[in-house]
């Protein structure tokens, strides 16, 4: 009986290398998939326009540009939300012009705009999260209890912007150097659009946070996976070189 031919050295090395690499690469992929996602949000005032039935639509224009018509409803909500758009937290109260401006008579040469101010909840300030009270206090200048929601009716000039409407009924307002609205009626006392990581800790410097990914939630998964892959490839190369020397 003839013995089965032995595989060529190159083929044997390739097969052995694949047998070594596949389990290790699987482990790398498992590590990456098992790591928790790092959700982040921002604490800021989002701007809304009241609609039919008291609902809310995200305002696409900034308050310095938007000119609400007579009978409009402007809504504001301070909350921990994703960065902009429809996913931001809406005012919790319904926006009813008839109800809010019922006691403000119409005047010649003036327009009336209803305003809903929602200062958010303890969760939005971060004060209710364990171990974050001190951080939230320094970031928002607030206690665990946010100011109560309130509504008001502004009587302003016909061409007044939403920023001017807000200034007429809820001073003081605070803006940053880029014109971002940071505080309404003095709330919050500090901070402006602070980024918040998955654990609820404020990260005032968004640039520094992006340069130091995952600093508050353990090592970066990409670095771990990349390092493991480099180690696998390096080990495989050494193994293959040794096989060739002994073949």
């Amino acid at each position: 009986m003839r013995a089965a031919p032995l595989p060529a050295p190159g083929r044997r090395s390739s097969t052995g290398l694949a047998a070594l690499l596949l389990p290790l690469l699987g482990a790398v992929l498992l590590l990456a998939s098992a790591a928790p996602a790092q959700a982040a949000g921002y604490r800021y005032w989002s701007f809304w326009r009241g609609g039919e039935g008291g609902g809310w639509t995200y305002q696409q224009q900034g308050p310095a540009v938007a000119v609400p018509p007579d009978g409009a409803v402007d809504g504001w909500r301070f909350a921990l939300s994703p960065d902009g758009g429809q996913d931001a937290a809406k005012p919790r109260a319904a926006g009813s012009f008839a109800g809010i401006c019922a006691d403000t008579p119409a005047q010649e040469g003036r327009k009336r705009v209803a305003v809903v101010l929602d200062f958010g909840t303890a969760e939005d300030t971060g004060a209710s999260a364990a171990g974050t009270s001190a951080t939230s206090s320094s970031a928002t200048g607030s206690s665990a209890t946010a100011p109560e929601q309130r509504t008001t009716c502004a009587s302003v000039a016909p061409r007044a912007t939403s920023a001017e409407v807000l200034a007429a009924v809820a001073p003081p307002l605070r803006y940053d150097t880029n014109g971002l609205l940071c505080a309404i009626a003095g709330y919050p006392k500090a901070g402006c659009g602070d980024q918040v990581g998955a654990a609820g800790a404020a990260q005032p410097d968004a640039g520094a946070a992006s340069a130091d990914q995952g600093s508050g939630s353990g090592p970066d998964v990409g670095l771990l996976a990349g390092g493991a892959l480099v180690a696998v490839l390096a080990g495989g190369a050494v193994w293959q070189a040794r096989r060739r020397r002994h073949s």
Side-chain angles (χ1 to χ4, degrees):
M1 179 181 295
R2 297 180 59 186
L6 296 174
R11 180 177 301 175
R12 183 172 62 250
S13 299
S14 299
T15 303
L17 180 59
L20 173 67
L21 289 180
L22 286 177
L24 292 177
L25 287 176
V28 171
L29 294 176
L30 181 62
L31 172 65
S33 62
Q38 297 182 16
Y42 298 83
R43 289 193 179 102
Y44 65 98
W45 282 100
S46 58
F47 181 28
W48 301 83
R49 175 59 46 83
E52 295 294 332
W56 296 104
T57 302
Y58 188 77
Q59 177 60 268
Q60 300 294 333
Q61 294 180 310
V65 176
V67 178
D70 181 66
V73 181
D74 281 356
W76 295 90
R77 170 70 189 271
F78 183 78
L80 172 59
S81 299
D83 186 15
Q86 300 293 337
D87 292 334
K90 300 178 181 180
R92 291 167 292 167
S96 169
F97 175 81
I100 297 171
C101 289
D103 297 330
T104 303
Q107 293 180 292
E108 186 70 25
R110 309 284 288 179
K111 70 179 178 183
R112 293 177 299 167
V113 178
V115 180
V116 175
L117 302 176
D118 188 338
F119 295 86
T121 65
E123 287 78 10
D124 293 322
T125 69
S128 63
T132 61
S133 295
T135 301
S136 66
S137 178
S138 62
T140 66
S142 66
S143 63
T145 303
E148 292 292 331
Q149 302 178 68
R150 66 178 191 242
T151 61
T152 185
C153 186
S155 179
V156 293
R159 294 300 302 165
T161 64
S162 289
E164 293 170 323
V165 169
L166 196 58
V169 298
L173 307 181
R174 177 166 57 86
Y175 293 87
D176 70 0
T177 55
N178 296 317
L180 176 66
L181 180 61
C182 305
I184 297 175
Y187 184 86
K189 295 179 180 179
C192 191
D194 296 326
Q195 185 177 8
V196 179
Q203 302 171 4
D205 188 352
S210 62
D212 186 20
Q213 293 288 340
S215 59
S217 303
D220 184 84
V221 175
L223 292 178
L224 288 175
L229 181 58
V230 169
V232 168
L233 294 177
V238 172
W239 179 84
Q240 188 174 21
R242 289 178 178 175
R243 295 285 297 178
R244 287 175 177 172
R245 284 200 303 268
H246 291 85
S247 60

